[in-house]
Amino acid sequence: MKDDRPPTLWTRRDVQTRSAWALLGASLVAMVGAFVRLLFPRVRAEPPTKVVLGSPEAFAVGEVSERYKRTHRFVLVREAAGFYALRSVCTHLGCVPAWSAGQEKFKCPCHGSGFHRDGVNFEGPAPRPLERLAIALDAEKNLVVDTAVVLRRERGEWSRADAFLPYPSAGHP
Ligand code: FES
């Protein structure tokens, strides 16, 4: 029987072969792309750990400022001699102590631990003082607290220079 169909350039086998090669090529390109992405992982930017609080003059002597507690989980304490920052994390099970100006202490709402204004524990189940955060003045003479530098009293770290910022400090009247 005579085939009346017009001749084509490609046979069915040609089309299948080319499709298979195209598929293989696309797979290879995708694999190479994935491999290259592995070599250059996307870097996730961590939030900055240094919190700029502004001028020391904005804080009154004797003040316990809780304005950074919600956003950065620390309180700033201004003494006549200078500043320190306390982490707002109870050392018992991690609740957030609140400053009670009337009682002159931090009180944890969870199990009743109490801390003096310098962070030292004196009542309740908390086994150790609150932690301090490193504090300094930057080049513009703003207070800066570094939430990544945690200082523990029981390790002797409160005697470090960055655990307490004398103010007025030398060179910063
Ligand atoms: S978490 Fe603060 S006393 Fe338990």
Side-chain angles (χ1 to χ4, degrees), residues 11-80:
T11 64
R12 178 180 299 177
R13 175 168 297 206
D14 289 338
V15 171
Q16 287 173 340
T17 305
R18 283 177 164 80
S19 298
W21 277 112
L23 202 60
L24 184 66
S27 301
L28 279 173
V29 168
M31 281 171 57
V32 169
F35 180 71
V36 169
R37 269 190 78 179
L38 272 180
L39 294 178
F40 302 97
R42 268 186 258 163
V43 178
R44 208 168 89 203
E46 294 292 330
T49 62
K50 293 191 175 179
V51 184
V52 180
L53 313 186
S55 168
E57 306 302 334
F59 302 91
V61 171
E63 180 178 352
V64 176
S65 174
E66 295 192 288
R67 71 181 79 161
Y68 308 98
K69 197 165 92 172
R70 181 186 290 258
T71 53
H72 299 286
R73 298 207 72 180
F74 70 83
V75 295
L76 183 76
V77 183
R78 168 65 156 124
E79 305 287 20

Side-chain angles (χ1 to χ4, degrees), residues 90 92-95 108 110-113 125:
C90 179
H92 178 221
L93 292 175
C95 291
C108 182
C110 292
H111 313 100
S113 288

Side-chain angles (χ1 to χ4, degrees), residues 85-105:
L86 291 170
R87 282 186 81 210
S88 297
V89 178
C90 179
T91 52
H92 178 221
L93 292 175
C95 291
V96 180
W99 173 245
S100 168
Q103 299 180 67
E104 271 283 314
K105 69 178 182 182

